[in-house]
Amino acid sequence: MQKHFLFLLLVCSFHFFYAQTPTGFVENLRIKRSLNQGWKFHLGDPAADYYKQNTADADWETIHVPHTLELTSLNLDDSPDTKLQETFHRKVGWYRRDIQVAASERKVFLEFEGAHQVTTLWVNGKKVGMHDIGGYTPFHFDITDAVEKGKSNQITLLVDNRKYDH
């Protein structure tokens, strides 16, 4: 049976900092690092508090992005839903991983190429923000004030694909 992705999540981290050049000028340097490998994933439990740092995630699936909440057949698993998909795959997924942030970092951003459909981000258990414009738009969060520089930092995402009437 052929499978395809209904949900796409790509993540990259952007680090901005300033460095002294040999001529004495200050340059704006940007370092881009892919965070697509080594995520922990849990399907379901939208009301859970899995953003807390002490959440046990050893039993969560280890995945790499892009990722889908659930794979489906080309005929949408024989779902009776119309093309509007009122109920089909209207679930949530939790994603977690740690990132190391150097002490020298001045600004730190997380950039997402897409996450369907509402994404909430926590860093070290603190809510940073929410993107609810839609699943097909790139977006980013400035996490500079939430990270602990020179340490490992926990990133937690709740990606919510339930149907909302805006």
Side-chain angles (χ1 to χ4, degrees):
M1 181 182 302
Q2 281 192 316
K3 302 283 185 179
H4 72 283
F5 291 105
L6 289 178
F7 172 86
L8 177 67
L9 172 70
L10 296 173
V11 185
C12 294
S13 173
F14 288 87
H15 300 277
F16 293 84
F17 65 96
Y18 295 89
Q20 192 79 22
T21 65
T23 58
F25 292 102
V26 174
E27 258 182 55
N28 185 10
L29 301 176
R30 180 173 94 169
I31 299 169
K32 181 177 179 179
R33 183 175 51 153
S34 171
L35 298 178
N36 290 352
Q37 305 296 312
W39 287 86
K40 300 295 275 182
F41 171 73
H42 174 78
L43 181 65
D45 301 325
D49 57 3
Y50 295 149
Y51 56 87
K52 291 184 177 178
Q53 286 188 284
N54 61 355
T55 298
D57 62 6
D59 292 338
W60 291 19
E61 181 182 1
T62 300
I63 59 97
H64 309 296
V65 295
H67 182 256
T68 182
L69 291 176
E70 289 184 300
L71 289 176
T72 185
S73 66
L74 291 175
N75 70 351
L76 302 179
D77 297 340
D78 295 319
S79 172
D81 273 355
T82 67
K83 65 181 178 181
L84 299 177
Q85 298 181 358
E86 297 292 325
T87 60
F88 182 71
H89 285 227
R90 296 295 183 178
K91 299 178 181 179
V92 303
W94 290 89
Y95 294 83
R96 293 179 70 171
R97 72 161 288 170
D98 292 338
I99 62 168
Q100 188 70 30
V101 177
S104 61
E105 301 294 350
R106 296 292 276 287
K107 296 290 277 181
V108 184
F109 294 84
L110 288 180
E111 180 178 272
F112 299 81
E113 292 181 15
H116 207 276
Q117 127 178 330
V118 176
T119 302
T120 307
L121 170 70
W122 291 267
V123 176
N124 298 324
K126 296 177 217 154
K127 186 176 179 180
V128 172
M130 175 187 288
H131 174 79
D132 62 357
I133 305 297
Y136 302 107
T137 57
F139 58 96
H140 70 274
F141 293 101
D142 181 345
I143 63 170
T144 305
D145 294 336
V147 296
E148 295 181 37
K149 295 177 182 172
K151 297 182 180 181
S152 182
N153 293 268
Q154 185 179 76
I155 306 299
T156 305
L157 299 165
L158 174 61
V159 179
D160 190 339
N161 196 39
R162 293 177 292 176
K163 185 148 178 74
Y164 291 95
D165 293 322
H166 293 284

